Amino acid sequence: MASYDKAFESYKKALTTAASVAASMMLVRSVVNEVVPPELRELLFSGFGYLRSRTTSDHTIIVEKKNDGFGNNHVFCAVKTYLATRMNTDIQQRLRVSSMDENDKMMVSMDDGDEMLDVYEGTEFKWCLVCKDNNSNDSLNGSQNESQFFELTFNKKHKDKALRSYLPFILATAKAIKAQERTLMIHMTEYGNWSPIDLHHPSTFDTLAMDHKLKQSIIDDLNRFMKRKDYYKKIGKAWKRGYLLYGPPGTGKSSLIAAMANHLRFDIYDLELTAVMSNSDLRRLLVGMDNRSILVIEDIDCTIELKQREEGEGHEESNSTEQNKGEGKVTLSGLLNFVDGLWSTSGEERIIVFTTNYKERLDPALLRPGRMDMHIYMGYCTPESFQILANNYHSIEYHDTYPEIEKLIKEVTVTPAEVAEVLMRNDDTDVVLHDLVEFLKSKMKDANEIKTEHKEANSQLDEKKDDKDNDKN
């Protein structure tokens, strides 16, 4: 009992001492604020802060929500996005859940006053979200000011690492997260301007019915392009890449473009050349594109008559009327000037895609390297692309009908779009695959009949030719 009384007395003395010290500090602070001039007071406080920093091994960085109390701080938003992906919900005692609207996914973040530990390259960084009421009324509207900020605490020997490596890493990671989560847009020309709508095309390289080696070569080429900003700058070329997609209708050209957009997280600008009145209008549209985007000109061989640059310079100089007519059209030189001319540097990190069903109809000036860097043939359905389609539409890896279907596909000219249309007719896998067999057999029968008709027609022509030769003799 005596030992308990003694401990209680010690505890009581400690509380009394702490209260006395706190009261003394408050008194000193009050006296300093009243007596000491502001300039000297600031010097004293900074001196105390310096002494305190010399006696502790920790360093703290403040990341405020607002810049100077007004504009949003980009670093704060990036930290919030980054920490949401690093949070261990099993450890955090309090969580804050929010979303922008009913269609947006929930975002889990720290609550006010919570702390969490993050490890970067073996170094521990402690984050704390602080929310403070300033307890001072705004003189204009009487509203109470509130400040919110993150405190980043770490061992002071890692200060350079925090500023030069860790925080830039957070900014880059947050940028990648937002780019991955944002809704892609497809822009169309309307009254001479770009008109955007949301792009929700589900096509990806995983679902694309294409030869695996060709598909992988496209992915590798896109990924290499994304990493070569400094390389393009070093060699003095615009940071862009051109792709020509050619082949019969229904072979997946549009699906490949959507897969490229989803892979890169790039917006699509769908340019209808027939809606553009002149080269100057074309230039204004193309300059108005954002970076990190895909310019698409589909069916370029038939959307507009692109004249050779070499044609008719003397004819255009014949009179002013002809000059005005020429200026009112989009020309091949006007398009090429953006693809690889002076105007090609008006933006960066851009993909240019031309599509055509007939590559041989295109002007050679469009096809050379530096304009269309990669030529991709989109061919008819193969056994490999059929298997991808069957897995996409019916989630199967193999079926008893596969050998017969693959044999027929090797012998019949059929597009992936035609195969996909048959696979969508019924939810029953057995039924739909047998329907596909019958469809392919029907295609083969029609093809054989056409071949027979052509053979007979050619035979008749040969006979007529022989008869004429005999008559002459």
Side-chain angles (χ1 to χ4, degrees), residues 276-299:
V276 184
M277 301 304 297
S278 66
N279 285 338
S280 59
D281 290 339
L282 175 66
R283 187 183 306 118
R284 182 168 52 83
L285 281 169
L286 298 180
V287 170
M289 291 173 53
D290 291 333
N291 293 333
R292 297 178 60 85
S293 58
I294 300 176
L295 172 67
V296 178
I297 304 180
E298 295 191 276
D299 298 322

Side-chain angles (χ1 to χ4, degrees), residues 87-95 110 114-116:
M87 188 174 300
N88 189 336
T89 55
D90 296 331
I91 297 177
Q92 296 296 128
Q93 295 181 348
R94 292 171 60 87
L95 298 172
M110 298 170 60
D114 272 4
E115 296 181 351
M116 68 170 288

Side-chain angles (χ1 to χ4, degrees), residues 117-356:
L117 192 67
D118 186 35
V119 179
Y120 172 73
E121 295 183 351
T123 304
E124 292 186 349
F125 294 92
K126 185 174 72 174
W127 289 95
C128 179
L129 179 61
V130 181
C131 186
K132 286 187 176 181
D133 293 330
N134 292 334
N135 296 324
S136 60
N137 292 333
D138 193 306
S139 59
L140 295 177
N141 54 29
S143 62
Q144 195 174 55
N145 293 322
E146 184 181 76
S147 62
Q148 192 177 44
F149 56 90
F150 282 107
E151 282 187 352
L152 172 60
T153 306
F154 50 89
N155 192 296
K156 61 183 179 182
K157 67 181 180 181
H158 300 302
K159 182 178 179 180
D160 285 346
K161 186 177 187 179
L163 291 174
R164 299 180 182 178
S165 180
Y166 182 50
L167 287 177
F169 167 76
I170 289 177
L171 292 175
T173 303
K175 181 181 179 181
I177 292 171
K178 290 182 177 180
Q180 194 66 29
E181 293 180 349
R182 78 177 184 90
T183 300
L184 297 182
M185 309 294 291
I186 181 169
H187 302 253
M188 302 173 294
T189 51
E190 187 176 47
Y191 303 111
N193 295 300
W194 293 115
S195 177
I197 60 173
D198 291 351
L199 175 66
H200 297 293
H201 201 296
S203 178
T204 66
F205 280 107
D206 290 333
T207 62
L208 204 60
M210 179 186 286
D211 176 75
H212 176 75
K213 290 183 178 180
L214 177 59
K215 186 189 302 185
Q216 191 59 50
S217 68
I218 298 171
I219 295 173
D220 292 342
D221 192 76
L222 291 170
N223 292 340
R224 182 167 54 251
F225 167 77
M226 293 296 294
K227 299 175 182 178
R228 304 184 88 182
K229 179 178 181 178
D230 293 337
Y231 174 77
Y232 276 88
K233 185 176 181 180
K234 184 179 76 171
I235 64 176
K237 292 178 66 70
W239 189 16
K240 63 175 182 58
R241 189 83 173 151
Y243 296 86
L244 174 68
L245 312 184
Y246 66 99
T251 52
K253 292 185 283 292
S254 297
S255 296
L256 174 56
I257 294 170
M260 294 168 71
N262 286 324
H263 179 74
L264 298 172
R265 305 304 299 169
F266 279 16
D267 286 349
I268 293 176
Y269 286 79
D270 187 12
L271 180 61
E272 179 61 56
L273 284 178
T274 56
V276 184
M277 301 304 297
S278 66
N279 285 338
S280 59
D281 290 339
L282 175 66
R283 187 183 306 118
R284 182 168 52 83
L285 281 169
L286 298 180
V287 170
M289 291 173 53
D290 291 333
N291 293 333
R292 297 178 60 85
S293 58
I294 300 176
L295 172 67
V296 178
I297 304 180
E298 295 191 276
D299 298 322
I300 191 170
D301 58 298
C302 57
T303 54
I304 196 169
E305 182 181 355
L306 297 173
K307 296 183 178 181
Q308 295 280 359
R309 289 175 297 171
E310 296 84 0
E311 284 185 0
E313 288 186 0
H315 294 292
E316 290 179 1
E317 293 173 357
S318 60
N319 57 64
S320 60
T321 303
E322 292 298 321
Q323 285 183 353
N324 292 336
K325 287 182 180 180
E327 290 173 0
K329 297 179 181 180
V330 174
T331 62
L332 179 59
S333 61
L335 181 62
L336 295 182
N337 196 31
F338 177 79
V339 173
D340 69 347
L342 291 175
W343 287 97
S344 64
T345 58
S346 61
E348 61 180 14
E349 210 169 359
R350 287 179 177 171
I351 301 292
I352 302 172
V353 180
F354 292 164
T355 75
T356 179

